[in-house]
Amino acid sequence: MTNERSLHSAIKSWYHLQGDRFEVKVDCYVVDIVRGDLLIEIQTENFSAIRKKLRTLTKEHRVRLLYPISLEKMIVNVTLSGEVLSRRRSPKRGRLIDLFYELVRVPDLFNEDNFSMEVLMIKEEEVRCDDGRGSWKRRGASIKDRKLISIIERAEFMNKTDFLKFLPEYLPQPFTNRSLAESLDISMVLSRKITYSLRKMGLIREVGKKGRMPLFEV
């Protein structure tokens, strides 16, 4: 996708080590980086688009998925010819826990010993053009490019138990989606994605209901 190209390329350049190979064909798929026996894939959004590829590759190979989350974002508005009209800092700040918005599409991958994930908390520049072709959320503005400014933090998830750190120590057992949302100061939508993902990993289980809300325990 055009709006992934610069960000994807920049992360690949930043992450690579001497001896890595780029764009290598493995089992009918082209892999971003091959590091010895480790296959490294970079996905900046929409895990559904890469789900089949990851599931196939993890059956026979060690696979690591790199995923960036925007901790800070500069929004640059340009004309159709590319002239910069304005530049501003987005008030939205990403959090590591936001990874569940995408992870919910592939939580079962962490039931494979071959799979791991690294999240990069980044500062990026998002280039927009008011061409009337974009999302209604951006009032029709299209995202023309995403550019990496810097890597601020890194977080590794080498196996599924690493995700238990998202559950607060003081969380009651059993717990509901509401109690989890309140404990983490997140939306109910995100809370449901977390419990769905953790259930698919076998880290929590449903043990009953409180009213209409399911009850979970580790």
Side-chain angles (χ1 to χ4, degrees):
M1 294 176 61
T2 301
N3 65 358
E4 288 187 339
R5 193 170 298 150
S6 293
L7 180 60
H8 186 280
S9 178
I11 290 174
K12 184 163 60 175
S13 296
W14 179 87
Y15 195 80
H16 91 280
L17 299 176
Q18 185 174 1
D20 287 352
R21 294 180 293 149
F22 297 131
E23 307 299 322
V24 180
K25 190 171 183 180
V26 180
D27 297 348
C28 299
Y29 291 102
V30 176
V31 177
D32 290 325
I33 303 173
V34 173
R35 180 176 298 169
D37 66 347
L38 177 63
L39 310 183
I40 302 168
E41 277 293 306
I42 302 165
Q43 189 72 2
T44 60
E45 61 181 359
N46 189 11
F47 285 6
S48 292
I50 201 174
R51 181 166 49 201
K52 182 178 179 181
K53 179 179 184 180
L54 294 176
R55 284 175 176 163
T56 301
L57 292 174
T58 52
K59 293 183 184 301
E60 301 292 338
H61 307 276
R62 292 173 59 227
V63 178
R64 177 174 301 165
L65 177 63
L66 298 187
Y67 175 56
I69 294 177
S70 183
L71 184 63
E72 298 181 31
K73 181 185 294 184
M74 296 298 298
I75 298 175
V76 180
N77 290 292
V78 301
T79 63
L80 291 173
S81 61
E83 180 184 353
V84 176
L85 296 174
S86 64
R87 184 188 299 268
R88 64 180 175 86
R89 187 184 303 275
S90 171
K92 295 181 64 177
R93 291 177 62 88
R95 297 191 292 176
L96 181 60
I97 201 169
D98 292 340
L99 71 92
F100 283 96
Y101 284 113
E102 288 296 336
L103 186 62
V104 71
R105 306 172 193 269
V106 292
D108 56 295
L109 282 171
F110 275 95
N111 292 318
E112 300 286 344
D113 293 335
N114 281 339
F115 188 72
S116 63
M117 182 177 183
E118 186 167 349
V119 178
L120 307 177
M121 303 302 295
I122 68 170
K123 183 175 181 179
E124 70 168 299
E125 183 178 273
E126 185 175 277
V127 181
R128 298 180 180 181
C129 180
D130 189 9
D131 56 6
R133 299 177 180 177
S135 167
W136 63 269
K137 295 179 181 179
R138 296 186 298 273
R139 299 180 181 179
S142 295
I143 298 175
K144 293 301 183 182
D145 204 358
R146 296 173 64 193
K147 301 179 180 180
L148 178 67
I149 297 176
S150 62
I151 307 287
I152 300 172
E153 297 176 43
R154 303 167 67 173
E156 289 186 328
F157 298 89
M158 302 307 292
N159 56 67
K160 61 186 180 182
T161 58
D162 290 336
F163 290 97
L164 288 174
K165 68 183 179 183
F166 288 103
L167 299 181
E169 292 182 7
Y170 51 83
L171 187 68
Q173 295 289 330
F175 64 93
T176 64
N177 282 313
R178 185 173 301 282
S179 59
L180 179 62
E182 292 172 350
S183 297
L184 295 173
D185 190 24
I186 59 174
S187 68
M188 284 288 287
V189 170
L190 182 52
S191 180
R192 292 189 184 101
K193 292 182 186 298
I194 293 171
T195 54
Y196 175 84
S197 298
L198 298 185
R199 280 196 301 112
K200 289 296 183 179
M201 294 179 195
L203 295 173
I204 65 173
R205 61 181 178 180
E206 188 173 336
V207 293
K209 288 186 179 296
K210 184 178 181 179
R212 294 185 177 182
M213 289 190 178
L215 284 166
F216 306 101
E217 68 176 13
V218 176

